[in-house]
Amino acid sequence: MIPLSTKMRPDILDDFVGQEHFMYQGSLLYNAIKNKTFDSAIFFGPSGTGKTTLARIIAREMDAGFYELNASVSGIKELKDIIDNAKTTFFGLQKQTSYVYVDEFHRWNKLQQDSLLKALEEGAIKFIGSTTENPYFAVNNAVLSRVRSIYEFKRLNKDEILKVIMNALNDTERGFGGLKLSYEDRALEILADMSGGDARIALDTLGFIIDNLDESKKIDNQIIAEAMQRQTTFYDRSEDKYNLLSALQKSIRGSDPDAAHHYLARLIDGGADILMIGRRLMVTASEDIGMAYPSAISIVTSCVQAAQMIGFPEARIPLAQAVTLLASCPKSNAAMLALEHALSDLRSKNIDDVPDHLKDSSYHAAKDRGHGIGYKFPHAYGGYVKQQYLPNNLHKQGVKYYKPTDNGSETSFKKYLESLEQKQ
């Protein structure tokens, strides 16, 4: 049986949902596809966000040959055959460029990736690679230099997922528009919310439900919970998850580990995913712990990453460790307040230019403009030398943005900065 997510792939550009930061009517990418001037590109981002779908739409809009490979099961032999066919088409009577789409491109090693280079340079092929990994780390520089654009795909938001779901319910040819389905609107919203920005999960879950739903039943919250095998406690009332996340952070800020664990338990029991909890914990580590215990952000990030690798139910263990650490260590928001005050000044004051001695002096004629002259290199003075860093008017006002507290490790940073002020 063909999965619903496969059947519902849009065939035309205007039916593509999501990625509106680069794909919208009149955008450069949209126009490049419509004008048939689209070149090679790399798509990267999470699964279920439209990378393969957009690649297939592009090939269809280009009226070009299209070859699709998956790097996890295909290698140089398959690619060589495709390139040979593409060259025959390109250098023959047709003079037609072929598009080669390689899914999970990061799985190929350097030699395999480099096998594309000559065909790309000749123009026989245009390349579209998709990857869930950051291409600046996972793709060879030689390939990157020959690809015009790199597009980052983001998780679809709730409204976009809901639109995809409704398209499937109303489509009479590929979806369920011909069925008289009964459903609760709120249940579909919960499905969209619980899909984590992955359209594939949303559609395939919907397909599973409808294929196995008794005719007498309707799609409600209980059916969604059964299909997802997760609780929908706080998804029934959209504000609950934000209230629980807020209570978790405020309990940590108040150094109450018992309350913090209570709200962590309610989040987990309610069906919150690891990323939802993890993002809030990492923000808390910097916002509320800060310089009082600078290692908190590293430890919490490691706990969240470990939780993602392990998955539930065991993921609760590193999350509990992170919550315990944050709630039990010293607190300071001085670092965050320093930036907030600096941003406030930028919005409300007329700030002078960067002092000349701090400006870039690495280019020709910089000295003629007075840039870099008089700058004192602190390392040449044992690690510190007194000189002006703030713009002139802020320096004259004696502006102080960072005001360290006496909490935890921050007291040592405070004493160090105070000692520097005593030096001449």
Side-chain angles (χ1 to χ4, degrees):
M1 183 180 292
I2 301 174
L4 181 61
S5 58
T6 300
K7 290 194 291 185
M8 290 303 301
R9 285 188 191 276
D11 296 323
I12 60 174
L13 196 57
D14 290 330
D15 288 344
F16 184 79
V17 177
Q19 314 313 323
E20 293 186 359
H21 53 293
F22 62 73
M23 176 53 67
Y24 55 89
Q25 197 163 13
S27 70
L28 290 177
L29 177 56
Y30 181 95
N31 290 342
I33 297 169
K34 288 296 186 182
N35 296 336
K36 303 187 187 304
T37 58
F38 178 83
D39 210 331
S40 299
I42 289 177
F43 299 159
F44 85 99
S47 300
T49 52
K51 300 187 295 294
T52 301
T53 297
L54 185 56
R56 291 177 180 176
I57 291 174
I58 288 170
R60 192 174 288 109
E61 293 274 356
M62 293 292 110
D63 296 325
F66 181 67
Y67 300 93
E68 184 173 339
L69 294 174
N70 188 298
S72 63
V73 294
S74 303
I76 290 181
K77 182 181 182 302
E78 292 86 351
L79 180 62
K80 185 178 182 300
D81 291 340
I82 288 173
I83 289 176
D84 288 342
N85 290 333
K87 285 183 176 180
T88 300
T89 303
F90 183 72
F91 293 110
L93 295 175
Q94 292 174 274
K95 300 294 183 184
Q96 185 185 63
T97 297
S98 298
Y99 282 83
V100 178
Y101 171 62
V102 183
D103 193 13
E104 300 188 75
F105 186 61
H106 62 276
R107 293 181 180 271
W108 274 359
N109 59 34
K110 184 179 186 301
L111 179 63
Q112 290 171 309
Q113 292 186 19
D114 285 350
S115 60
L116 285 164
L117 297 179
K118 186 176 180 182
L120 279 171
E121 290 172 351
E122 292 174 342
I125 66 169
K126 300 294 184 184
F127 167 67
I128 304 175
S130 71
T131 172
T132 55
E133 305 290 332
N134 188 328
Y136 295 103
F137 298 104
V139 178
N140 293 347
N141 288 334
V143 175
L144 291 178
S145 69
R146 290 164 175 81
V147 172
R148 179 179 297 279
S149 301
I150 297 175
Y151 295 98
E152 181 179 1
F153 283 60
K154 298 179 180 179
R155 295 183 185 276
L156 276 63
N157 62 41
K158 176 183 170 182
D159 289 339
E160 290 167 341
I161 293 287
L162 195 57
K163 182 178 180 180
V164 169
I165 291 172
M166 295 308 299
N167 287 343
L169 288 172
N170 295 325
D171 192 302
T172 55
E173 294 182 6
R174 297 175 297 172
F176 303 109
L179 303 178
K180 294 181 179 179
L181 294 170
S182 178
Y183 57 84
E184 294 178 357
D185 291 338
R186 184 58 190 146
L188 299 184
E189 291 178 13
I190 291 173
L191 173 59
D193 218 349
M194 295 181 74
S195 298
D198 189 321
R200 184 181 293 111
I201 289 177
L203 287 173
D204 289 344
T205 301
L206 179 66
F208 171 72
I209 291 171
I210 294 175
D211 288 341
N212 298 282
L213 189 67
D214 290 341
E215 291 184 7
S216 60
K217 290 188 175 181
K218 66 178 177 180
I219 303 174
D220 57 17
N221 296 0
Q222 185 178 349
I223 291 295
I224 299 296
E226 183 180 341
M228 299 290 284
Q229 284 298 291
R230 286 169 58 190
Q231 297 285 340
T232 61
T233 305
F234 63 49
Y235 289 99
D236 291 338
R237 296 184 300 277
S238 60
E239 75 275 8
D240 277 8
K241 57 186 170 186
Y242 301 110
N243 287 339
L244 291 173
L245 289 168
S246 175
L248 173 64
Q249 182 171 3
K250 287 171 181 172
S251 298
I252 289 172
R253 186 183 295 150
S255 298
D256 189 332
D258 302 308
H261 278 285
H262 170 78
Y263 293 116
L264 174 64
R266 285 176 63 172
L267 281 162
I268 293 173
D269 187 61
D273 59 44
I274 295 169
L275 275 178
M276 181 185 295
I277 299 170
R279 283 193 292 264
R280 183 58 65 104
L281 293 180
M282 288 189 283
V283 167
T284 302
S286 288
E287 180 180 347
D288 295 307
I289 312 303
M291 296 301 290
Y293 185 43
S295 299
I297 182 64
S298 299
I299 298 172
V300 169
T301 299
S302 296
C303 287
V304 173
Q305 289 173 342
Q308 288 181 279
M309 292 177 65
I310 296 168
F312 282 124
E314 288 85 356
R316 70 189 190 282
I317 301 169
L319 291 177
Q321 180 183 350
V323 166
T324 304
L325 172 77
L326 292 174
S328 305
C329 66
K331 310 293 188 295
S332 171
N333 69 343
M336 184 194 74
L337 289 178
L339 179 60
E340 291 299 320
H341 292 161
L343 289 171
S344 177
D345 274 0
L346 287 177
R347 299 183 188 111
S348 61
K349 295 181 179 180
N350 184 19
I351 307 295
D352 288 347
D353 195 11
V354 174
D356 285 344
H357 65 282
L358 298 184
K359 291 180 179 178
D360 180 22
S361 60
S362 61
Y363 62 94
H364 181 67
K367 288 188 177 180
D368 293 340
R369 303 179 64 187
H371 292 182
I373 296 175
Y375 172 67
K376 298 176 182 177
F377 189 57
H379 298 294
Y381 295 84
Y384 174 78
V385 61
K386 200 161 191 173
Q387 64 183 324
Q388 177 185 335
Y389 291 101
L390 280 169
N392 288 335
N393 58 337
L394 297 182
H395 176 71
K396 290 176 182 177
Q397 294 169 19
V399 167
K400 294 283 185 184
Y401 292 124
Y402 178 50
K403 300 174 183 178
T405 69
D406 291 318
N407 298 336
S409 298
E410 194 163 34
T411 186
S412 62
F413 297 112
K414 180 180 181 181
K415 289 177 181 177
Y416 172 71
L417 292 174
E418 287 174 346
S419 72
L420 295 181
E421 292 181 354
Q422 306 303 318
K423 292 187 178 183
Q424 299 297 325

